PDB file of all heavy atoms in Angstrom:
ATOM      1  N   TYR A 259       3.005  54.900 -78.863  1.00  0.00           N
ATOM      2  CA  TYR A 259       1.722  55.589 -78.976  1.00  0.00           C
ATOM      3  C   TYR A 259       1.411  55.909 -80.432  1.00  0.00           C
ATOM      4  O   TYR A 259       2.304  56.204 -81.233  1.00  0.00           O
ATOM      5  CB  TYR A 259       1.751  56.896 -78.180  1.00  0.00           C
ATOM      6  CG  TYR A 259       1.925  56.676 -76.687  1.00  0.00           C
ATOM      7  CD1 TYR A 259       3.086  57.103 -76.032  1.00  0.00           C
ATOM      8  CD2 TYR A 259       0.939  56.044 -75.930  1.00  0.00           C
ATOM      9  CE1 TYR A 259       3.253  56.907 -74.668  1.00  0.00           C
ATOM     10  CE2 TYR A 259       1.111  55.839 -74.572  1.00  0.00           C
ATOM     11  CZ  TYR A 259       2.267  56.274 -73.946  1.00  0.00           C
ATOM     12  OH  TYR A 259       2.425  56.082 -72.604  1.00  0.00           O
ATOM     13  N   ARG A 260       0.129  55.848 -80.775  1.00  0.00           N
ATOM     14  CA  ARG A 260      -0.304  56.149 -82.126  1.00  0.00           C
ATOM     15  C   ARG A 260      -1.343  57.254 -82.102  1.00  0.00           C
ATOM     16  O   ARG A 260      -2.044  57.440 -81.098  1.00  0.00           O
ATOM     17  CB  ARG A 260      -0.909  54.901 -82.792  1.00  0.00           C
ATOM     18  CG  ARG A 260       0.118  53.804 -83.056  1.00  0.00           C
ATOM     19  CD  ARG A 260      -0.555  52.532 -83.537  1.00  0.00           C
ATOM     20  NE  ARG A 260       0.411  51.536 -83.975  1.00  0.00           N
ATOM     21  CZ  ARG A 260       0.094  50.289 -84.289  1.00  0.00           C
ATOM     22  NH1 ARG A 260      -1.153  49.878 -84.209  1.00  0.00           N
ATOM     23  NH2 ARG A 260       1.025  49.441 -84.691  1.00  0.00           N
ATOM     24  N   LEU A 261      -1.445  57.957 -83.220  1.00  0.00           N
ATOM     25  CA  LEU A 261      -2.440  59.019 -83.341  1.00  0.00           C
ATOM     26  C   LEU A 261      -3.830  58.416 -83.231  1.00  0.00           C
ATOM     27  O   LEU A 261      -4.162  57.445 -83.901  1.00  0.00           O
ATOM     28  CB  LEU A 261      -2.284  59.735 -84.690  1.00  0.00           C
ATOM     29  CG  LEU A 261      -3.263  60.868 -84.975  1.00  0.00           C
ATOM     30  CD1 LEU A 261      -3.057  62.004 -83.983  1.00  0.00           C
ATOM     31  CD2 LEU A 261      -3.093  61.367 -86.404  1.00  0.00           C
ATOM     32  N   GLY A 262      -4.650  59.001 -82.373  1.00  0.00           N
ATOM     33  CA  GLY A 262      -6.007  58.500 -82.191  1.00  0.00           C
ATOM     34  C   GLY A 262      -7.038  59.606 -82.256  1.00  0.00           C
ATOM     35  O   GLY A 262      -6.755  60.710 -82.758  1.00  0.00           O
ATOM     36  N   ASP A 263      -8.211  59.327 -81.748  1.00  0.00           N
ATOM     37  CA  ASP A 263      -9.279  60.327 -81.734  1.00  0.00           C
ATOM     38  C   ASP A 263      -8.936  61.439 -80.749  1.00  0.00           C
ATOM     39  O   ASP A 263      -8.150  61.239 -79.817  1.00  0.00           O
ATOM     40  CB  ASP A 263     -10.594  59.677 -81.317  1.00  0.00           C
ATOM     41  CG  ASP A 263     -11.075  58.643 -82.326  1.00  0.00           C
ATOM     42  OD1 ASP A 263     -10.761  58.817 -83.518  1.00  0.00           O
ATOM     43  OD2 ASP A 263     -11.739  57.680 -81.908  1.00  0.00           O
ATOM     44  N   PRO A 264      -9.544  62.633 -80.949  1.00  0.00           N
ATOM     45  CA  PRO A 264      -9.318  63.718 -79.984  1.00  0.00           C
ATOM     46  C   PRO A 264      -9.719  63.273 -78.577  1.00  0.00           C
ATOM     47  O   PRO A 264     -10.697  62.535 -78.402  1.00  0.00           O
ATOM     48  CB  PRO A 264     -10.246  64.837 -80.491  1.00  0.00           C
ATOM     49  CG  PRO A 264     -10.414  64.551 -81.943  1.00  0.00           C
ATOM     50  CD  PRO A 264     -10.404  63.051 -82.059  1.00  0.00           C
ATOM     51  N   VAL A 265      -8.954  63.688 -77.580  1.00  0.00           N
ATOM     52  CA  VAL A 265      -9.253  63.286 -76.204  1.00  0.00           C
ATOM     53  C   VAL A 265     -10.243  64.256 -75.580  1.00  0.00           C
ATOM     54  O   VAL A 265     -10.310  65.431 -75.955  1.00  0.00           O
ATOM     55  CB  VAL A 265      -7.969  63.231 -75.341  1.00  0.00           C
ATOM     56  CG1 VAL A 265      -6.981  62.236 -75.921  1.00  0.00           C
ATOM     57  CG2 VAL A 265      -7.339  64.604 -75.193  1.00  0.00           C
ATOM     58  N   ARG A 266     -11.028  63.744 -74.658  1.00  0.00           N
ATOM     59  CA  ARG A 266     -11.925  64.572 -73.865  1.00  0.00           C
ATOM     60  C   ARG A 266     -11.324  64.762 -72.482  1.00  0.00           C
ATOM     61  O   ARG A 266     -10.798  63.823 -71.893  1.00  0.00           O
ATOM     62  CB  ARG A 266     -13.302  63.913 -73.732  1.00  0.00           C
ATOM     63  CG  ARG A 266     -14.107  63.847 -75.017  1.00  0.00           C
ATOM     64  CD  ARG A 266     -14.429  65.237 -75.571  1.00  0.00           C
ATOM     65  NE  ARG A 266     -15.037  66.112 -74.598  1.00  0.00           N
ATOM     66  CZ  ARG A 266     -16.365  66.269 -74.452  1.00  0.00           C
ATOM     67  NH1 ARG A 266     -17.186  65.565 -75.222  1.00  0.00           N
ATOM     68  NH2 ARG A 266     -16.846  67.105 -73.561  1.00  0.00           N
ATOM     69  N   LEU A 267     -11.392  65.999 -71.990  1.00  0.00           N
ATOM     70  CA  LEU A 267     -10.896  66.266 -70.650  1.00  0.00           C
ATOM     71  C   LEU A 267     -11.834  65.648 -69.620  1.00  0.00           C
ATOM     72  O   LEU A 267     -13.005  65.388 -69.919  1.00  0.00           O
ATOM     73  CB  LEU A 267     -10.788  67.773 -70.422  1.00  0.00           C
ATOM     74  CG  LEU A 267      -9.860  68.550 -71.377  1.00  0.00           C
ATOM     75  CD1 LEU A 267      -9.733  69.996 -70.901  1.00  0.00           C
ATOM     76  CD2 LEU A 267      -8.499  67.909 -71.469  1.00  0.00           C
ATOM     77  N   PRO A 268     -11.342  65.411 -68.404  1.00  0.00           N
ATOM     78  CA  PRO A 268     -12.203  64.838 -67.362  1.00  0.00           C
ATOM     79  C   PRO A 268     -13.416  65.729 -67.089  1.00  0.00           C
ATOM     80  O   PRO A 268     -13.388  66.939 -67.330  1.00  0.00           O
ATOM     81  CB  PRO A 268     -11.274  64.781 -66.132  1.00  0.00           C
ATOM     82  CG  PRO A 268      -9.896  64.845 -66.680  1.00  0.00           C
ATOM     83  CD  PRO A 268      -9.970  65.645 -67.937  1.00  0.00           C
ATOM     84  N   LYS A 269     -14.485  65.115 -66.569  1.00  0.00           N
ATOM     85  CA  LYS A 269     -15.723  65.857 -66.330  1.00  0.00           C
ATOM     86  C   LYS A 269     -15.516  67.034 -65.384  1.00  0.00           C
ATOM     87  O   LYS A 269     -16.159  68.075 -65.518  1.00  0.00           O
ATOM     88  CB  LYS A 269     -16.795  64.911 -65.780  1.00  0.00           C
ATOM     89  CG  LYS A 269     -17.328  63.943 -66.824  1.00  0.00           C
ATOM     90  CD  LYS A 269     -18.465  63.106 -66.251  1.00  0.00           C
ATOM     91  CE  LYS A 269     -19.030  62.180 -67.327  1.00  0.00           C
ATOM     92  NZ  LYS A 269     -20.145  61.351 -66.805  1.00  0.00           N
ATOM     93  N   TRP A 270     -14.601  66.862 -64.407  1.00  0.00           N
ATOM     94  CA  TRP A 270     -14.400  67.953 -63.460  1.00  0.00           C
ATOM     95  C   TRP A 270     -13.893  69.210 -64.156  1.00  0.00           C
ATOM     96  O   TRP A 270     -14.131  70.331 -63.704  1.00  0.00           O
ATOM     97  CB  TRP A 270     -13.448  67.554 -62.327  1.00  0.00           C
ATOM     98  CG  TRP A 270     -12.049  67.202 -62.752  1.00  0.00           C
ATOM     99  CD1 TRP A 270     -11.527  65.966 -62.922  1.00  0.00           C
ATOM    100  CD2 TRP A 270     -10.986  68.119 -63.062  1.00  0.00           C
ATOM    101  NE1 TRP A 270     -10.216  66.038 -63.314  1.00  0.00           N
ATOM    102  CE2 TRP A 270      -9.849  67.345 -63.406  1.00  0.00           C
ATOM    103  CE3 TRP A 270     -10.871  69.503 -63.067  1.00  0.00           C
ATOM    104  CZ2 TRP A 270      -8.634  67.911 -63.759  1.00  0.00           C
ATOM    105  CZ3 TRP A 270      -9.649  70.082 -63.424  1.00  0.00           C
ATOM    106  CH2 TRP A 270      -8.542  69.289 -63.775  1.00  0.00           C
ATOM    107  N   SER A 271     -13.217  69.027 -65.283  1.00  0.00           N
ATOM    108  CA  SER A 271     -12.708  70.172 -66.029  1.00  0.00           C
ATOM    109  C   SER A 271     -13.857  71.008 -66.587  1.00  0.00           C
ATOM    110  O   SER A 271     -13.805  72.242 -66.604  1.00  0.00           O
ATOM    111  CB  SER A 271     -11.805  69.694 -67.170  1.00  0.00           C
ATOM    112  OG  SER A 271     -11.354  70.779 -67.945  1.00  0.00           O
ATOM    113  N   GLN A 272     -14.919  70.325 -67.038  1.00  0.00           N
ATOM    114  CA  GLN A 272     -16.096  71.041 -67.545  1.00  0.00           C
ATOM    115  C   GLN A 272     -16.782  71.803 -66.417  1.00  0.00           C
ATOM    116  O   GLN A 272     -17.202  72.954 -66.591  1.00  0.00           O
ATOM    117  CB  GLN A 272     -17.070  70.054 -68.184  1.00  0.00           C
ATOM    118  CG  GLN A 272     -18.309  70.700 -68.799  1.00  0.00           C
ATOM    119  CD  GLN A 272     -17.962  71.635 -69.944  1.00  0.00           C
ATOM    120  OE1 GLN A 272     -17.295  71.240 -70.884  1.00  0.00           O
ATOM    121  NE2 GLN A 272     -18.407  72.884 -69.868  1.00  0.00           N
ATOM    122  N   TYR A 273     -16.883  71.152 -65.244  1.00  0.00           N
ATOM    123  CA  TYR A 273     -17.491  71.833 -64.098  1.00  0.00           C
ATOM    124  C   TYR A 273     -16.680  73.072 -63.713  1.00  0.00           C
ATOM    125  O   TYR A 273     -17.234  74.136 -63.396  1.00  0.00           O
ATOM    126  CB  TYR A 273     -17.582  70.883 -62.893  1.00  0.00           C
ATOM    127  CG  TYR A 273     -18.377  69.625 -63.146  1.00  0.00           C
ATOM    128  CD1 TYR A 273     -18.013  68.415 -62.549  1.00  0.00           C
ATOM    129  CD2 TYR A 273     -19.493  69.636 -63.983  1.00  0.00           C
ATOM    130  CE1 TYR A 273     -18.736  67.255 -62.781  1.00  0.00           C
ATOM    131  CE2 TYR A 273     -20.228  68.475 -64.217  1.00  0.00           C
ATOM    132  CZ  TYR A 273     -19.845  67.295 -63.621  1.00  0.00           C
ATOM    133  OH  TYR A 273     -20.559  66.150 -63.853  1.00  0.00           O
TER     134      TYR A 273
END
Side-chain angles (χ1 to χ4, degrees):
Y259 296 114
R260 292 172 172 172
L261 179 64
D263 295 330
V265 300
R266 291 298 308 266
L267 300 187
K269 288 185 178 180
W270 62 260
S271 177
Q272 182 63 55
Y273 302 145

